[in-house]
C-alpha cells in the first residue's frame, strides 16, 4: 500500500503537524515504506495466535481506591505560560 | 409515508470512587479549579497510570446486573484526539476488549408489556477536563479536576423505537446504577450523561437510515424533547427530498432548539491502539462470583416483590420500587403502620405532592418514614380521619412534631362518642329546615345523594373531628325517622 499527498496531509492534520509542502513527497515515500514492511509482516500466518496487547506476560496491577494526592496546584502551574483564577489559559478553542 | 424511529443510547456514567481511575487525586465535585488534578492527570512526562480496583469492581457489578458477559481479559486503548481539556492527547478507553460485553435490560411500556433492550457493551474510560469559554482575554480557561474521573460508557443496541422508550431505558439504567451504589446518578452535576443516536426509516424497511447524535442531555425531560424534535426534523428533511447528514447535534433545553455541532469524524480518525502504559486487566471466576454475592436487590426484582408481597398495582409498584430511597421509605412506613395500600396511597399522594412543591427527593423529606407510619397508625385506629391526617401531615412537614404530638397540641382527636355526634346532628337538622323539607319530599332512592349536604354541615360543625362513618349512620337514621 502506498500513500499519496492527500493521505499525508490528512495524517498531518490529525496529528496537528505542520509540514512543508516540499517535504510531503518524501514523507509519503517513508510512510509507504513502513506500510510495505507491515504488509510483509501481515503475510505471516497468525491465525492461531492471540493478538498481543502487551509484550509482558503479566496482568495489570491494581491500586486501592484512596486519595493519595494533595493539592499542588501552585507547583504544577509554575510552568504554565498563562493561568488565571486557578485555570490554565490556552488559545481560544471555540469561535 | 409511515416512518419508524430507531434510537440507540450511549450513557456516560460517573463511577462513585473516591479517587481517579488512574491516579490518587480526589474525584469530589465542586473543588476549586485544578486543585484535584495531579501530575498523572496533567500528563506530565514520566508519569504512569495505575488502575483503581474500585472502578473495576463497579464496572463488573454493572455487567452482572444487566446479565452481561464479563470480560475476563479487558484491554485499555488510546483514543487519540486533540483538545485542551485532554492533556495527554488521547483518552484512555476500551475498544476491542471492554470489561462488559453484551447484556440487556427490560423496560416497562405504557401498555403494561415489557420490552427487552440490548446493551452492546459497557467499557471503562476516563473523563476529560472542563473548558470554560468565557472571556479570559480572548483565551479559554481549563479546569482539569474532572480529568481522569472514572466513567463507564454504556452503549445500547438500536432497539429503541420512541422517545418514551428511550426515557424508560435511561431511567432503568439510572435505577440500576444507583441501586448498585456505583454512581450517584446526579444528572445536574454530569454524573449521568446521555447521548442519543436517532435515525428514521420507512416502516417495514430493514436498513437503518443515516443517524445523528445529540449529545449531553442532562435531564430525562430534555432527552424526550430532543428526540421528538430530531425525529420531526429528519422527517421534514426527507419528505422535502433532502438527505440526513451524519453529524453531532447539541440540544439546548432552555431554548428547546438543537443545532449542528460538527460533522462526525470517521471512527478510525481516533486511531485507537492498545495503551502501552497499561497491562491487560485479568479477572477470574472467583473474583466475579465474589462480586456477584454482593449485589443488592435490583429494581426489577424489587418491582416483582412489591407486587407480590404488598399487592400493589403495576403503576404503584413501578414508582415505589424504581429507586432504593423511595422503596426503603415505603417499606419502613409499611412496617410502622402495617398497611401497605394506605402507605402507598400516602406516598404517591400527599407525600409526593409536598416533595414536588419543595423540589426535593424522598431522602430529604422532613417527615421520616417512621413518622409517616406513626400518622398512618392514627388513621387506622380511628383517632383521626383521612382529612384531618392531611392537616396533621402539614404540621409534621413544618416541624411541629410527631403525629401524636400534633394531634394532641391541636386537639384534632376524632370524636367517636355517639352522644356528642348526635348532639351536633340534631343541631344541624334544626338549623336546616328547607333542606330537611327537600329531603322529606324526595324519592327515597334520591335521598342518599342529598345526605352529602348534611354530612358537610356536621363535619364543619365538629371542626372535621367527627368520625365520618358514625356521622353518616346517625344522620341517615335521624333524617329517615323524620320522613316516616
Amino acid at each position: 500500500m502506498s500513500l499519496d499527498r492527500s493521505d499525508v496531509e490528512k495524517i498531518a492534520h490529525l496529528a496537528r503537524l505542520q509540514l512543508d509542502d516540499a517535504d510531503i513527497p518524501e514523507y509519503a515515500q517513508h510512510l509507504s515504506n513502513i506500510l510495505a514492511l507491515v504488509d510483509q509482516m501481515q503475510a505471516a500466518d497468525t491465525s492461531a495466535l492471540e493478538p498481543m496487547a502487551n509484550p509482558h506476560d503479566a496482568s495489570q496491577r491494581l491500586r486501592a481506591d484512596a486519595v493519595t494526592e494533595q493539592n499542588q496546584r501552585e507547583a504544577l502551574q509554575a510552568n504554565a505560560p498563562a493561568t488565571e483564577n486557578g485555570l490554565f489559559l490556552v488559545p481560544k478553542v471555540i469561535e | 409515508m409511515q416512518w419508524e424511529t430507531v434510537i440507540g443510547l450511549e450513557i456516560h456514567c460517573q463511577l462513585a470512587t473516591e479517587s481517579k481511575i488512574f491516579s490518587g487525586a480526589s474525584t469530589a465535585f465542586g473543588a476549586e479549579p485544578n486543585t484535584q488534578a495531579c501530575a498523572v492527570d496533567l500528563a506530565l512526562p514520566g508519569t504512569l497510570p495505575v488502575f483503581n480496583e474500585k472502578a473495576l469492581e463497579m464496572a463488573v457489578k454493572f455487567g452482572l446486573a444487566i446479565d452481561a458477559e464479563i470480560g475476563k481479559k479487558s484491554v485499555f486503548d488510546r483514543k487519540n484526539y486533540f483538545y485542551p481539556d485532554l492533556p495527554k492527547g488521547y483518552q484512555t478507553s476500551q475498544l476491542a476488549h471492554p470489561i462488559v460485553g453484551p447484556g440487556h435490560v427490560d423496560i416497562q411500556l405504557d401498555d403494561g408489556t415489557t420490552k427487552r433492550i440490548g446493551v452492546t457493551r459497557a467499557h471503562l474510560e476516563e473523563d476529560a477536563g472542563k473548558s470554560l469559554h468565557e472571556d479570559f482575554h480572548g483565551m479559554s480557561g481549563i479546569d482539569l479536576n474532572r480529568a481522569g474521573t472514572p466513567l463507564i460508557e454504556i452503549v445500547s443496541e438500536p432497539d429503541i423505537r420512541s422517545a418514551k422508550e428511550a426515557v424508560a431505558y435511561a431511567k432503568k439504567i439510572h435505577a440500576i446504577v444507583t441501586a448498585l451504589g456505583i454512581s450517584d446518578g446526579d444528572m445536574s452535576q454530569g454524573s449521568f450523561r446521555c447521548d442519543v443516536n436517532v435515525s428514521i426509516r420507512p416502516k417495514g424497511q430493514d436498513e437503518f437510515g443515516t443517524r445523528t447524535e445529540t449529545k449531553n442531555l442532562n435531564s430525562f425531560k430534555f432527552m424526550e424533547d430532543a428526540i421528538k424534535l430530531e425525529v420531526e426534523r429528519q422527517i421534514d428533511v426527507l419528505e422535502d427530498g433532502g438527505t440526513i447528514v451524519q453529524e453531532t447535534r447539541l440540544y439546548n433545553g432552555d431554548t428547546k432548539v438543537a443545532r449542528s455541532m460538527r460533522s462526525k469524524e470517521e471512527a478510525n480518525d481516533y486511531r485507537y491502539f492498545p495503551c502501552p502504559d497499561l497491562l491487560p486487566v485479568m479477572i477470574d471466576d472467583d473474583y466475579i462470583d465474589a462480586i456477584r454475592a454482593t449485589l443488592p436487590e435490583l429494581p426489577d426484582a424489587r418491582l416483582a416483590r412489591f407486587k407480590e408481597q404488598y399487592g400493589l398495582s403495576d403503576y404503584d409498584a413501578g414508582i415505589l420500587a424504581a429507586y432504593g430511597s423511595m422503596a426503603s421509605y415505603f417499606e419502613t412506613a409499611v412496617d410502622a403502620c402495617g398497611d401497605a395500600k394506605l402507605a402507598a396511597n400516602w406516598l404517591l399522594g400527599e407525600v409526593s405532592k409536598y416533595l414536588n412543591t419543595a423540589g426535593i427527593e424522598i431522602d430529604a423529606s422532613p417527615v421520616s418514614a417512621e413518622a409517616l407510619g406513626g400518622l398512618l397508625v392514627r388513621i387506622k385506629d380511628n383517632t383521626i380521619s383521612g382529612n384531618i391526617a392531611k392537616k396533621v401531615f402539614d404540621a409534621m412537614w413544618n416541624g411541629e412534631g410527631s403525629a401524636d404530638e400534633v394531634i394532641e397540641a391541636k386537639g384534632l382527636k376524632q370524636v367517636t362518642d355517639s352522644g356528642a355526634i348526635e348532639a351536633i346532628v340534631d343541631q344541624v337538622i334544626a338549623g336546616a329546615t328547607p333542606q330537611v323539607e327537600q329531603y322529606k319530599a324526595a324519592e327515597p332512592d334520591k335521598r342518599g345523594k342529598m345526605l352529602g349536604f348534611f354530612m358537610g354541615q356536621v363535619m364543619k360543625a365538629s371542626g372535621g373531628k367527627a368520625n365520618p362513618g358514625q356521622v353518616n349512620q346517625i344522620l341517615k337514621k335521624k333524617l329517615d325517622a323524620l320522613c316516616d
Side-chain angles (χ1 to χ4, degrees), chain A residues 41-82:
Chain A
M41 290 194 289
Q42 272 185 337
D45 179 9
T46 57
S47 55
L49 299 174
E50 278 274 299
M52 180 179 68
N54 197 286
H56 300 290
D57 184 21
S59 68
Q60 176 63 34
R61 299 252 321 239
L62 305 176
R63 42 167 266 276
D65 178 29
V67 175
T68 52
E69 295 286 344
Q70 301 311 310
N71 172 25
Q72 296 193 63
R73 183 172 77 184
E74 214 170 302
L76 291 169
Q77 292 194 332
N79 281 332

Side-chain angles (χ1 to χ4, degrees), chain B residues 67-344:
Chain B
D67 206 13
E69 289 170 26
I70 304 298
K72 290 187 185 168
K73 173 181 179 179
S74 66
V75 177
F76 284 107
D77 296 284
R78 293 185 176 183
K79 179 181 179 181
N80 297 279
Y81 66 93
F82 287 102
Y83 208 74
D85 59 23
L86 186 76
K88 289 187 294 197
Y90 59 86
Q91 179 190 31
T92 306
S93 181
Q94 297 184 317
L95 184 67
H97 304 282
I99 182 71
V100 176
H104 56 83
V105 297
D106 292 336
I107 58 171
Q108 281 75 35
L109 304 181
D110 279 349
D111 63 4
T113 58
T114 293
K115 178 171 175 175
R116 177 155 289 187
I117 306 291
V119 174
T120 315
R121 54 187 280 137
H123 57 260
L124 278 157
E125 62 183 26
E126 59 183 340
D127 208 347
K130 208 163 77 182
S131 306
L132 302 162
H133 303 297
E134 294 102 69
D135 197 24
F136 295 102
H137 332 288
M139 301 181 86
S140 290
I142 307 293
D143 175 8
L144 295 170
N145 280 349
R146 209 180 57 188
T149 297
L151 304 176
I152 42 169
E153 181 178 339
I154 304 156
V155 182
S156 85
E157 289 288 307
D159 290 345
I160 299 163
R161 291 291 173 269
S162 70
K164 267 206 149 85
E165 286 183 22
V167 170
Y169 167 80
K171 281 188 173 170
K172 180 51 72 72
I173 296 285
H174 189 264
I176 291 172
V177 297
T178 48
L180 291 171
I182 62 170
S183 177
D184 64 19
D186 190 327
M187 297 180 86
S188 66
Q189 293 181 1
S191 299
F192 193 87
R193 311 195 287 266
C194 302
D195 303 341
V196 293
N197 290 297
V198 176
S199 65
I200 60 169
R201 62 182 172 188
K203 232 186 162 78
Q205 178 180 304
D206 281 341
E207 306 91 80
F208 293 130
T210 305
R211 67 168 191 270
T212 63
E213 181 179 24
T214 304
K215 274 190 136 20
N216 281 347
L217 299 163
N218 60 2
S219 82
F220 295 124
K221 177 91 187 88
F222 287 172
M223 179 193 293
E224 186 166 355
D225 292 348
I227 292 172
K228 285 181 179 162
L229 187 73
E230 178 58 10
V231 169
E232 281 168 29
R233 187 190 72 85
Q234 293 191 8
I235 290 174
D236 284 348
V237 169
L238 292 180
E239 294 196 339
D240 286 350
T243 49
I244 304 297
V245 180
Q246 185 173 347
E247 62 183 357
T248 301
R249 300 177 67 80
L250 270 189
Y251 178 74
N252 184 328
D254 298 325
T255 59
K256 306 207 174 304
V257 171
R259 62 178 176 82
S260 172
M261 198 163 77
R262 59 182 151 88
S263 290
K264 177 113 184 159
E265 293 170 34
E266 293 167 48
N268 60 9
D269 277 3
Y270 289 126
R271 292 152 296 144
Y272 280 93
F273 62 86
C275 181
D277 286 346
L278 288 157
L279 291 158
V281 179
M282 311 291 281
I283 53 178
D284 56 22
D285 286 329
D286 288 348
Y287 177 86
I288 294 170
D289 290 343
I291 291 178
R292 197 192 306 274
T294 69
L295 290 184
E297 182 181 43
L298 291 166
D300 280 349
R302 192 161 54 214
L303 178 77
R305 181 170 66 81
F306 273 24
K307 287 198 281 193
E308 161 85 25
Q309 182 176 346
Y310 299 119
L312 298 180
S313 68
D314 287 350
Y315 179 83
D316 290 0
I319 296 177
L320 295 174
Y323 285 99
S325 49
M326 179 61 99
S328 65
Y329 191 102
F330 168 70
E331 297 205 273
T332 308
V334 173
D335 283 347
C337 77
D339 187 333
K341 193 63 204 159
L342 185 64

Side-chain angles (χ1 to χ4, degrees), chain A:
Chain A
M1 181 179 175
S2 89
L3 299 180
D4 62 18
R5 169 175 286 269
S6 68
D7 293 325
V8 175
E9 281 169 349
K10 186 180 174 203
I11 294 164
H13 170 73
L14 286 175
R16 300 297 186 271
L17 294 173
Q18 194 176 349
L19 302 183
D20 255 332
D21 244 20
D23 294 338
I24 289 180
E26 194 186 340
Y27 283 120
Q29 186 56 52
H30 286 174
L31 291 170
S32 297
N33 290 348
I34 293 170
L35 290 179
L37 177 67
V38 173
D39 279 344
Q40 198 182 335
M41 290 194 289
Q42 272 185 337
D45 179 9
T46 57
S47 55
L49 299 174
E50 278 274 299
M52 180 179 68
N54 197 286
H56 300 290
D57 184 21
S59 68
Q60 176 63 34
R61 299 252 321 239
L62 305 176
R63 42 167 266 276
D65 178 29
V67 175
T68 52
E69 295 286 344
Q70 301 311 310
N71 172 25
Q72 296 193 63
R73 183 172 77 184
E74 214 170 302
L76 291 169
Q77 292 194 332
N79 281 332
T83 58
E84 190 173 310
N85 299 334
L87 298 164
F88 293 94
L89 295 191
V90 299
K92 205 166 180 65
V93 223
I94 56 168
E95 297 306 316

